[in-house]
Amino acid sequence: MPMFVTRYFLMLTSYLREREEGATAVEYGVMVALIAAVIIASVAALGTKLKGTFDFVTSVLP
């Protein structure tokens, strides 16, 4: 890794550690990402089951 990239990364991490709001924003961002992942997984799992249920009901109807 080039030296200027390493230096910039170290300066950025040092700056973010000094800011209290940055840590809070990061925590909220992680929370939102986890909630979104759970919602996506739930919708995907529920969608598959609902499709199976609707297919069954459709096949039973005359």
XYZ file of all heavy atoms in Angstrom:
473
model
N 0.857 -1.173 0.000
C 0.000 0.000 0.000
C 0.898 1.229 0.000
O 1.830 1.318 0.791
C -0.897 -0.032 1.244
C -1.870 1.101 1.301
S -2.976 1.091 2.730
C -3.685 -0.509 2.701
N 0.619 2.191 -0.874
C 1.450 3.396 -0.910
C 1.414 4.139 0.431
O 0.441 4.088 1.171
C 0.804 4.239 -2.008
C 0.031 3.288 -2.842
C -0.375 2.181 -1.931
N 2.477 4.826 0.700
C 2.637 5.506 1.990
C 1.573 6.580 2.209
O 1.078 6.730 3.320
C 4.037 6.122 2.059
C 4.359 6.710 3.379
S 4.335 5.413 4.612
C 5.040 6.254 5.963
N 1.208 7.330 1.162
C 0.235 8.395 1.350
C -1.147 7.827 1.689
O -1.904 8.446 2.431
C 0.163 9.310 0.116
C -0.384 8.665 -1.116
C -1.746 8.715 -1.382
C 0.438 8.018 -2.016
C -2.262 8.133 -2.530
C -0.070 7.436 -3.161
C -1.423 7.485 -3.413
N -1.479 6.657 1.178
C -2.763 6.042 1.503
C -2.771 5.616 2.969
O -3.737 5.841 3.690
C -3.055 4.846 0.574
C -4.317 4.119 1.003
C -3.157 5.300 -0.871
N -1.684 5.021 3.415
C -1.577 4.606 4.806
C -1.639 5.814 5.729
O -2.340 5.794 6.746
C -0.247 3.853 5.032
O -0.168 2.773 4.106
C -0.163 3.319 6.441
N -0.935 6.858 5.360
C -0.918 8.082 6.173
C -2.313 8.717 6.248
O -2.777 9.106 7.307
C 0.079 9.063 5.586
C 0.250 10.301 6.360
C 1.193 11.189 5.611
N 2.019 11.943 6.513
C 2.944 12.755 6.110
N 3.209 12.871 4.830
N 3.641 13.440 6.969
N -2.998 8.768 5.099
C -4.352 9.328 5.065
C -5.301 8.484 5.914
O -6.105 9.019 6.660
C -4.855 9.398 3.623
C -6.275 9.883 3.512
C -6.577 11.227 3.685
C -7.312 8.994 3.266
C -7.881 11.681 3.598
C -8.621 9.440 3.187
C -8.898 10.780 3.348
O -10.183 11.218 3.280
N -5.193 7.169 5.805
C -6.047 6.280 6.585
C -5.819 6.466 8.079
O -6.771 6.531 8.857
C -5.793 4.822 6.182
C -6.641 3.843 6.925
C -7.995 3.736 6.669
C -6.094 3.035 7.903
C -8.784 2.839 7.361
C -6.872 2.138 8.601
C -8.219 2.037 8.329
N -4.573 6.584 8.496
C -4.275 6.802 9.913
C -4.805 8.141 10.397
O -5.346 8.241 11.504
C -2.766 6.696 10.164
C -2.179 5.293 10.033
C -0.657 5.352 10.151
C -2.770 4.360 11.072
N -4.683 9.176 9.582
C -5.205 10.486 9.957
C -6.727 10.454 10.060
O -7.319 11.017 10.985
C -4.768 11.545 8.941
C -3.294 11.891 9.010
S -2.713 12.977 7.681
C -3.915 14.265 7.662
N -7.369 9.773 9.133
C -8.821 9.671 9.137
C -9.318 8.908 10.360
O -10.250 9.342 11.038
C -9.309 8.991 7.859
C -10.818 8.820 7.722
C -11.490 10.187 7.657
C -11.148 8.002 6.489
N -8.707 7.793 10.672
C -9.137 7.025 11.843
C -8.890 7.795 13.127
O -9.711 7.753 14.048
C -8.436 5.664 11.915
O -7.027 5.855 11.871
C -8.886 4.755 10.787
N -7.796 8.528 13.196
C -7.518 9.342 14.376
C -8.569 10.430 14.524
O -9.070 10.682 15.626
C -6.127 9.965 14.264
O -5.917 10.882 15.299
N -8.934 11.061 13.425
C -9.940 12.114 13.446
C -11.304 11.570 13.886
O -11.992 12.173 14.704
C -10.045 12.750 12.058
C -11.178 13.736 11.916
C -11.116 14.986 12.529
C -12.309 13.427 11.179
C -12.153 15.890 12.402
C -13.343 14.319 11.051
C -13.260 15.554 11.669
O -14.297 16.443 11.547
N -11.672 10.417 13.358
C -12.970 9.848 13.697
C -13.026 9.372 15.151
O -14.072 9.403 15.780
C -13.315 8.696 12.757
C -13.643 9.113 11.330
C -13.882 7.881 10.457
C -14.843 10.038 11.283
N -11.911 8.922 15.686
C -11.891 8.495 17.086
C -12.051 9.663 18.038
O -12.593 9.516 19.125
C -10.590 7.765 17.396
C -10.542 6.387 16.820
C -9.277 5.690 17.190
N -9.205 4.408 16.511
C -8.132 3.679 16.438
N -7.020 4.090 17.019
N -8.146 2.534 15.809
N -11.587 10.835 17.636
C -11.699 12.015 18.486
C -13.119 12.568 18.512
O -13.517 13.203 19.471
C -10.741 13.108 17.994
C -9.295 12.754 18.194
C -8.369 13.767 17.549
O -8.863 14.771 16.995
O -7.152 13.551 17.591
N -13.883 12.329 17.474
C -15.236 12.863 17.389
C -16.221 11.891 18.025
O -16.314 10.748 17.638
C -15.641 13.056 15.922
C -14.845 14.133 15.238
C -15.288 14.293 13.816
N -16.738 14.461 13.760
C -17.447 14.224 12.674
N -16.867 13.816 11.581
N -18.753 14.409 12.683
N -16.969 12.365 18.994
C -17.975 11.535 19.644
C -19.172 11.302 18.727
O -19.776 10.253 18.733
C -18.441 12.180 20.953
C -17.397 12.175 22.040
C -17.045 10.777 22.516
O -17.952 9.929 22.592
O -15.870 10.531 22.796
N -19.546 12.320 17.940
C -20.687 12.171 17.055
C -20.420 11.110 16.001
O -21.328 10.431 15.566
C -21.016 13.490 16.336
C -21.213 14.685 17.235
C -19.913 15.411 17.509
O -19.087 15.541 16.595
O -19.726 15.839 18.639
N -19.173 10.977 15.571
C -18.819 9.981 14.570
C -19.088 8.583 15.067
O -19.620 7.746 14.344
N -18.751 8.322 16.309
C -18.997 6.997 16.864
C -20.496 6.727 16.942
O -20.960 5.638 16.642
C -18.359 6.880 18.240
N -21.264 7.719 17.339
C -22.707 7.538 17.431
C -23.302 7.305 16.053
O -24.144 6.424 15.885
C -23.356 8.774 18.081
O -22.742 8.991 19.344
C -24.822 8.579 18.279
N -22.866 8.052 15.067
C -23.376 7.885 13.709
C -23.030 6.501 13.172
O -23.854 5.861 12.514
C -22.813 8.968 12.799
N -21.838 6.031 13.463
C -21.428 4.706 13.011
C -22.293 3.639 13.680
O -22.746 2.695 13.035
C -19.929 4.465 13.298
C -19.562 3.018 13.085
C -19.082 5.372 12.429
N -22.540 3.798 14.962
C -23.375 2.828 15.680
C -24.782 2.802 15.095
O -25.360 1.729 14.901
C -23.422 3.163 17.157
C -22.101 2.921 17.858
C -22.038 3.530 19.241
O -23.038 4.161 19.661
O -21.007 3.382 19.898
N -25.354 3.972 14.833
C -26.678 4.017 14.217
C -26.653 3.397 12.823
O -27.591 2.704 12.429
C -27.210 5.443 14.143
C -27.739 5.948 15.452
C -27.323 7.166 15.965
C -28.658 5.218 16.185
C -27.801 7.646 17.171
C -29.144 5.677 17.390
C -28.718 6.896 17.881
O -29.195 7.353 19.062
N -25.608 3.648 12.088
C -25.488 3.065 10.752
C -25.435 1.550 10.797
O -26.081 0.871 9.987
N -24.685 1.012 11.742
C -24.600 -0.445 11.889
C -25.960 -1.010 12.297
O -26.399 -2.046 11.788
C -23.508 -0.829 12.916
C -23.581 -2.298 13.279
C -22.139 -0.487 12.375
N -26.634 -0.323 13.222
C -27.960 -0.773 13.649
C -28.945 -0.792 12.478
O -29.694 -1.759 12.300
C -28.496 0.148 14.755
C -28.817 -0.579 15.999
S -29.498 0.385 17.357
C -29.490 2.053 16.892
N -28.946 0.253 11.688
C -29.852 0.334 10.538
C -29.531 -0.774 9.539
O -30.443 -1.407 8.982
C -29.780 1.728 9.879
C -30.459 1.741 8.534
C -30.387 2.765 10.794
N -28.252 -1.031 9.311
C -27.858 -2.090 8.384
C -28.318 -3.461 8.882
O -28.811 -4.280 8.091
C -26.345 -2.079 8.190
N -28.175 -3.718 10.177
C -28.623 -4.999 10.722
C -30.140 -5.144 10.647
O -30.654 -6.209 10.306
C -28.148 -5.150 12.169
C -26.652 -5.363 12.358
C -26.294 -5.353 13.833
C -26.223 -6.666 11.717
N -30.857 -4.071 10.951
C -32.311 -4.115 10.861
C -32.740 -4.368 9.414
O -33.644 -5.165 9.155
C -32.935 -2.821 11.414
C -32.733 -2.757 12.927
C -34.408 -2.705 11.053
C -33.090 -1.423 13.557
N -32.084 -3.705 8.473
C -32.411 -3.907 7.061
C -32.139 -5.349 6.642
O -32.940 -5.952 5.913
C -31.609 -2.942 6.188
N -31.041 -5.924 7.106
C -30.715 -7.312 6.768
C -31.769 -8.267 7.318
O -32.182 -9.219 6.641
C -29.331 -7.674 7.300
N -32.224 -8.029 8.549
C -33.259 -8.875 9.148
C -34.566 -8.746 8.377
O -35.246 -9.749 8.107
C -33.459 -8.525 10.641
C -34.700 -9.172 11.207
C -32.232 -8.927 11.445
N -34.924 -7.533 7.993
C -36.164 -7.330 7.231
C -36.078 -8.035 5.881
O -37.024 -8.714 5.463
C -36.456 -5.829 7.061
C -36.856 -5.222 8.406
C -37.532 -5.587 6.007
C -36.983 -3.720 8.397
N -34.952 -7.904 5.204
C -34.790 -8.545 3.896
C -34.870 -10.060 4.028
O -35.538 -10.737 3.237
C -33.464 -8.102 3.242
C -33.572 -6.640 2.831
C -33.115 -8.980 2.043
C -32.261 -6.024 2.408
N -34.203 -10.617 5.040
C -34.241 -12.069 5.248
C -35.656 -12.535 5.588
O -36.119 -13.571 5.090
C -33.274 -12.461 6.354
N -36.365 -11.766 6.413
C -37.734 -12.136 6.790
C -38.663 -12.103 5.593
O -39.473 -13.011 5.394
C -38.267 -11.195 7.860
O -37.476 -11.252 9.010
N -38.561 -11.056 4.798
C -39.417 -10.938 3.619
C -39.108 -12.054 2.624
O -40.022 -12.639 2.031
C -39.268 -9.548 2.969
C -39.903 -9.500 1.593
C -39.873 -8.489 3.876
N -37.846 -12.376 2.463
C -37.471 -13.451 1.540
C -38.025 -14.790 2.019
O -38.597 -15.558 1.229
C -35.957 -13.515 1.400
N -37.878 -15.091 3.298
C -38.375 -16.356 3.839
C -39.897 -16.400 3.815
O -40.498 -17.407 3.430
C -37.856 -16.562 5.256
N -40.521 -15.324 4.224
C -41.980 -15.267 4.256
C -42.553 -15.290 2.848
O -43.582 -15.927 2.599
C -42.437 -14.005 4.989
C -43.892 -13.957 5.398
C -44.178 -15.033 6.428
C -44.232 -12.598 5.974
N -41.887 -14.633 1.926
C -42.355 -14.616 0.541
C -42.381 -16.001 -0.065
O -43.318 -16.376 -0.776
N -41.384 -16.807 0.223
C -41.330 -18.172 -0.289
C -42.473 -19.009 0.287
O -43.131 -19.761 -0.435
C -39.979 -18.816 0.071
O -38.932 -17.992 -0.429
C -39.850 -20.200 -0.530
N -42.713 -18.865 1.591
C -43.796 -19.627 2.215
C -45.156 -19.171 1.693
O -46.042 -19.990 1.461
C -43.740 -19.480 3.735
C -42.598 -20.239 4.343
C -42.668 -20.208 5.849
C -41.528 -21.027 6.429
N -41.663 -21.214 7.858
N -45.317 -17.866 1.524
C -46.588 -17.360 1.005
C -46.835 -17.833 -0.421
O -47.966 -18.166 -0.781
C -46.625 -15.836 1.065
C -46.898 -15.232 2.434
C -46.804 -13.713 2.361
C -48.251 -15.644 2.952
N -45.798 -17.874 -1.216
C -45.953 -18.349 -2.586
C -46.399 -19.800 -2.573
O -47.299 -20.189 -3.320
C -44.658 -18.213 -3.372
C -44.813 -18.636 -4.821
C -43.508 -18.507 -5.565
C -43.556 -18.933 -6.995
N -44.510 -19.906 -7.414
N -45.799 -20.602 -1.717
C -46.214 -21.998 -1.600
C -47.654 -22.134 -1.149
O -48.410 -22.964 -1.671
N -48.066 -21.310 -0.191
C -49.453 -21.341 0.287
C -50.419 -20.943 -0.814
O -51.443 -21.605 -1.021
C -49.613 -20.403 1.501
O -48.698 -20.800 2.514
C -51.020 -20.455 2.043
N -50.125 -19.880 -1.525
C -51.006 -19.440 -2.604
C -51.054 -20.466 -3.737
O -52.101 -20.689 -4.336
C -50.592 -18.074 -3.136
C -50.997 -16.943 -2.243
C -50.055 -16.063 -1.739
C -52.329 -16.750 -1.907
C -50.431 -15.015 -0.908
C -52.724 -15.710 -1.085
C -51.765 -14.836 -0.582
N -49.920 -21.092 -4.041
C -49.915 -22.130 -5.069
C -50.799 -23.302 -4.653
O -51.540 -23.864 -5.456
C -48.498 -22.611 -5.342
C -47.676 -21.589 -6.103
O -48.261 -20.675 -6.709
O -46.425 -21.710 -6.074
N -50.729 -23.688 -3.375
C -51.558 -24.778 -2.873
C -53.034 -24.430 -2.966
O -53.855 -25.215 -3.425
C -51.181 -25.117 -1.422
C -52.102 -26.112 -0.788
C -52.046 -27.453 -1.145
C -53.026 -25.718 0.151
C -52.898 -28.369 -0.573
C -53.892 -26.633 0.727
C -53.830 -27.968 0.365
N -53.387 -23.218 -2.507
C -54.786 -22.787 -2.548
C -55.281 -22.731 -3.988
O -56.398 -23.156 -4.296
C -54.957 -21.430 -1.849
C -56.337 -20.847 -2.103
C -54.692 -21.562 -0.363
N -54.453 -22.262 -4.889
C -54.826 -22.182 -6.302
C -55.058 -23.573 -6.887
O -55.981 -23.791 -7.667
C -53.743 -21.452 -7.115
O -53.530 -20.168 -6.536
C -54.128 -21.285 -8.563
N -54.221 -24.538 -6.497
C -54.370 -25.889 -7.029
C -55.593 -26.591 -6.466
O -56.169 -27.461 -7.112
C -53.113 -26.706 -6.751
O -52.990 -26.954 -5.356
N -56.027 -26.228 -5.265
C -57.179 -26.862 -4.643
C -58.488 -26.312 -5.202
O -59.483 -27.030 -5.306
C -57.119 -26.704 -3.098
C -58.391 -27.191 -2.453
C -55.925 -27.421 -2.539
N -58.483 -25.047 -5.555
C -59.713 -24.417 -6.068
C -60.086 -25.017 -7.416
O -59.222 -25.339 -8.232
C -59.521 -22.914 -6.216
C -59.379 -22.129 -4.916
C -59.055 -20.679 -5.228
C -60.643 -22.220 -4.080
N -61.389 -25.151 -7.669
C -61.832 -25.735 -8.959
C -61.632 -24.786 -10.115
O -61.610 -23.649 -10.096
C -63.306 -26.026 -8.747
C -63.746 -25.241 -7.582
C -62.510 -24.905 -6.793
